[in-house]
Amino acid sequence: MTTMIDQPYAYRRRELIEPDWTRLPGWRDVTAAQWADAQWQRAHCVKNVGQLRAVMGDLLEDRFYADLERDQAERATMSMLVPPQMVNTMVPSTEGAMPSAGAAFTEAFYADPVRRYMFPVFSDRRTDWPSHPFATRDSLHEHDMWAVEGLTHRYPTKVLAEMLPTCPQYCGHCTRMDLVGNSTPQVAKLKLAGKPVDRYAAMLDYLHRTPGVRDVVVSGGDVANMPWKNLEAFLDRLLEVPTIRDVRLATKALMGLPQHWLQPDVVEGVARVSATARSRGVSLAIHTHVNAAQSVTPLVARAATTMLEAGVRDVRNQGVLMRGVNDSPEALLDLCFALQDEAMITPYYFYMCDMIPFSEHWRVSLREAQELQHAIMGYLPGFATPRIVCDVPFVGKRWVHQVETYDTVRGMSFWRKHYRTSIEAGDDQALSREYVYHDPIHTLPAEGQQWWREQHDASEVHEAALVGAGASRAASAADLAG
C-alpha cells in the first residue's frame, strides 16, 4: 500500500508541448517549415511596438502598447528584440483555453513571467526606487578587469571572452547593458574599439602568455550571433592553447532561438569542435539561460539533446532570479524539472539580478534568496540542484549562504574573498576587506527604508555613488553601514 505524503511541492512530470503559434493573428499562416527556419525566426523578431501589434492583432488592449512604448522611452536599458520562438511562449495556452481578446488576454500578458523580463513595461518598474543609489551600468566592473579588450580576467583560473556585443534576443535585465545591444534613450552603449580579428588574436595571445588560466567562457553578447565559421575558427585556435581544460559556450539562443542550434552546419561544426576538444582532454559545454518553465518546449529540448549527441559534455542552465518571474519554490522547481527531465539541461546556477539601473522591481533581497535556496533543497538530484548565487561587485559569485555579516534592516550584506582580481595585484587588503552588496530598498523594514531616504537626501551618498574604485566603493558602503 502506497502512503501519500503531503509535501510543500508536489512533483509531477509534465509533457512538453510546443505552443501553437497560429493562435496569434500575425502568425496565423506561418507554416511549420517557416517556424523551424532560423533565418525566418531572425527576420521576424519583434523590434518595436508596431511589430508587436502586427503579431498580436486585437488580443492586446492599447493600454499595454502605451505602457511598453513609455518604458522604451523612459526606462529601458535594452532595446526591444524578441524572437518569435520566445513570443510564442508568452501566455502559451497549452494547458487550457486561450484568454479571450481584450481585457482577459491583456491581463494574462501582463502577468506572464517571460513577458515580464522580455517586454518590460513602465508600470512594472518601481516609482519609489526605480534604481538603487549604488546601481551602475557595469555593475560587476567587468570592463575594469579586461586583460585585453573584451577579455575579463576576474577569477584566478577563469576568463570571460566577450566575442561580440549582440544577441538574437535582448533581455530587459541584461547585466552587460552598458555594452550589449543598441543604444536606448536612457543608455548610450559603449562600443568595442578593435576589429574582431585583432581582438580575438589579442585574447589568444594573452591566454598563451598566461598559463594560470585553464577555463574560458566564450560569450558576448551571444555566440549564436557569430557566423559559425568564425566561431569555429576561434575555438580551434583556443583548443590549441595547451593549458586550457574547460571551454563553455554561452548562449541564451539555445532557448530563445533553438532553430539556430539545429541548423545542419552548426550541428556538424559542434561535432567537429567537440571531437577536437575530446582528443585534447578539454571539456566543452554549453551554458544557456532559461528563467521560466514555459520556455522549455520540445524544440528547446531537441536543440539541447542534439548538442549532447554532437559531443558536448554538458548543457547547463544559468538562470537569473527575478521577482514576478521565478521567485517562488514552485516556479524554480517546475523550471528545474522541465530542464532536467525533458531537455537534459542541468540546472546549474540562479544568479540574483545584478544592480543595474532600473532593475529594482526584478531584484529580490538576500534573505529571500536564502529562503528559496532552502526551499528547493531535497527535491532534485544533488548534481542538478542549482546554487543560488550573489555576484558581488569586485568579489564574484558567492553562494547566498556564504555571507559574512548581514544588516537586514539596512539591506547591506558583507562578503569576503580568498583571491585577487586582475586589478588587485598590489592590494594588500583585498583578502581581508569586506565588500558590500545591497538589497532592494523596498524590501527593507520601515526603519531601513527611512534610513535610506535620509541618506539619499545627503550629499555624501550621491558622492559615494560616483566612486569607481573597488576599495573606495567598499569603504564608502561600510562607512554608511556604520
Side-chain angles (χ1 to χ4, degrees):
M1 179 179 177
T2 301
T3 302
M4 299 299 295
I5 302 175
D6 184 25
Q7 301 287 5
Y9 173 81
Y11 167 79
R12 69 178 179 91
R13 187 171 179 181
R14 292 174 172 83
E15 178 186 0
L16 300 185
I17 301 172
E18 202 74 40
D20 178 13
W21 59 85
T22 66
R23 77 190 188 285
L24 303 177
W27 294 331
R28 192 159 288 151
D29 299 323
V30 174
T31 67
Q34 289 174 309
W35 194 261
D37 183 2
Q39 289 309 113
W40 185 93
Q41 289 278 331
R42 290 181 188 271
H44 291 83
C45 285
V46 174
K47 301 177 183 178
N48 54 55
V49 172
Q51 291 177 348
L52 183 62
R53 280 183 181 273
V55 171
M56 294 296 178
D58 63 354
L59 291 175
L60 285 173
E61 295 178 319
D62 285 344
R63 61 189 171 102
F64 180 84
Y65 298 118
D67 207 356
L68 179 59
E69 200 161 39
R70 184 178 180 188
D71 193 76
Q72 285 287 303
E74 300 181 31
R75 290 290 184 267
T77 60
M78 298 299 292
S79 57
M80 200 184 304
L81 184 66
V82 188
Q85 176 72 26
M86 290 198 73
V87 177
N88 192 41
T89 63
M90 301 175 193
V91 193
S93 305
T94 53
E95 295 188 357
M98 188 170 77
S100 57
F105 189 91
T106 301
E107 289 305 316
F109 203 66
Y110 265 114
D112 187 88
V114 179
R115 193 287 305 166
R116 284 182 184 273
Y117 76 95
M118 292 306 299
F119 287 123
V121 293
F122 189 86
S123 64
D124 290 339
R125 314 273 184 177
R126 296 201 64 86
T127 55
D128 49 0
W129 298 97
S131 298
H132 195 280
F134 282 92
T136 57
R137 288 171 51 124
D138 180 15
S139 66
L140 303 181
H141 304 277
E142 290 178 334
H143 296 175
D144 297 333
M145 301 176 199
W146 275 358
V148 299
E149 188 179 37
L151 189 74
T152 300
H153 193 169
R154 186 182 187 193
Y155 299 98
T157 62
K158 300 181 284 187
V159 296
L160 165 72
E162 295 178 71
M163 304 298 291
L164 73 172
T166 65
C167 300
Q169 67 285 302
Y170 292 139
C171 309
H173 64 279
C174 181
T175 190
R176 297 194 184 110
M177 46 72 60
D178 65 323
L179 176 68
V180 171
N182 303 314
S183 293
T184 72
Q186 295 299 315
V187 181
K189 300 301 176 90
L190 303 178
K191 301 294 182 183
L192 293 167
K195 295 179 180 179
V197 64
D198 296 331
R199 289 192 293 103
Y200 304 160
M203 290 177 183
L204 293 164
D205 177 67
Y206 178 81
L207 294 173
H208 276 288
R209 293 185 288 104
T210 315
V213 174
R214 61 170 302 285
D215 182 352
V216 181
V217 178
V218 183
S219 182
D222 189 316
V223 295
N225 262 22
M226 281 187 75
W228 176 260
K229 63 182 179 61
N230 296 353
L231 179 57
E232 185 171 355
F234 178 84
L235 294 174
D236 284 343
R237 293 184 64 192
L238 178 60
L239 291 172
E240 292 172 355
V241 181
T243 52
I244 299 304
R245 313 316 304 151
D246 276 289
V247 174
R248 293 176 269 170
L249 306 181
T251 173
K252 186 185 182 77
L254 192 73
M255 176 275 285
L257 190 69
Q259 293 85 348
H260 169 82
W261 293 100
L262 289 167
Q263 294 177 111
D265 65 318
V266 174
V267 176
E268 292 162 7
V270 170
R272 288 191 297 269
V273 174
S274 297
T276 301
R278 281 197 307 275
S279 72
R280 297 178 181 174
V282 178
S283 294
L284 178 69
I286 290 178
H287 283 200
T288 193
H289 176 186
V290 189
N291 293 324
Q294 68 203 59
S295 296
V296 186
T297 75
L299 266 173
V300 174
R302 186 175 150 215
T305 54
T306 298
M307 291 297 97
L308 292 168
E309 291 164 1
V312 303
R313 173 176 172 170
D314 290 295
V315 180
R316 307 183 185 108
N317 186 60
Q318 297 186 169
V320 174
L321 188 63
M322 288 182 285
R323 191 175 307 281
V325 177
N326 51 25
D327 61 330
S328 71
E330 293 76 17
L332 286 179
L333 288 168
D334 283 351
L335 169 55
C336 290
F337 281 119
L339 293 166
Q340 178 71 11
D341 288 356
E342 310 305 330
M344 298 187 73
I345 299 174
T346 302
Y348 179 44
Y349 278 141
F350 281 98
Y351 290 82
M352 295 177 67
C353 185
D354 290 320
M355 289 174 55
I356 58 169
F358 303 119
S359 66
E360 293 306 277
H361 66 294
W362 282 311
R363 294 204 306 125
V364 301
S365 68
L366 177 65
R367 173 178 284 178
E368 290 172 296
Q370 290 173 336
E371 291 171 353
L372 285 168
Q373 182 73 84
H374 177 79
I376 66 174
M377 300 299 289
Y379 288 96
L380 291 147
F383 67 89
T385 300
R387 284 167 286 174
I388 299 178
V389 294
C390 181
D391 211 341
V392 183
F394 294 104
V395 175
K397 291 184 290 293
R398 284 293 182 269
W399 184 44
V400 290
H401 286 85
Q402 286 183 289
V403 63
E404 292 285 333
T405 57
Y406 185 17
D407 181 345
T408 56
V409 174
R410 296 177 181 176
M412 303 172 78
S413 52
F414 295 88
W415 311 75
R416 294 183 187 272
K417 61 181 179 178
H418 56 283
Y419 51 79
R420 291 178 174 85
T421 66
S422 58
I423 60 175
E424 296 166 326
D427 186 350
D428 293 336
Q429 305 300 314
L431 305 188
S432 59
R433 181 182 300 112
E434 287 190 328
Y435 296 80
V436 70
Y437 186 85
H438 298 281
D439 284 346
I441 294 171
H442 71 272
T443 66
L444 306 181
E447 177 188 351
Q449 294 190 42
Q450 178 60 31
W451 183 85
W452 275 103
R453 281 191 290 270
E454 292 169 357
Q455 302 306 311
H456 187 260
D457 292 335
S459 61
E460 59 263 28
V461 171
H462 294 291
E463 292 168 1
L466 297 175
V467 173
S472 299
R473 187 179 183 85
S476 299
D479 290 344
L480 288 179

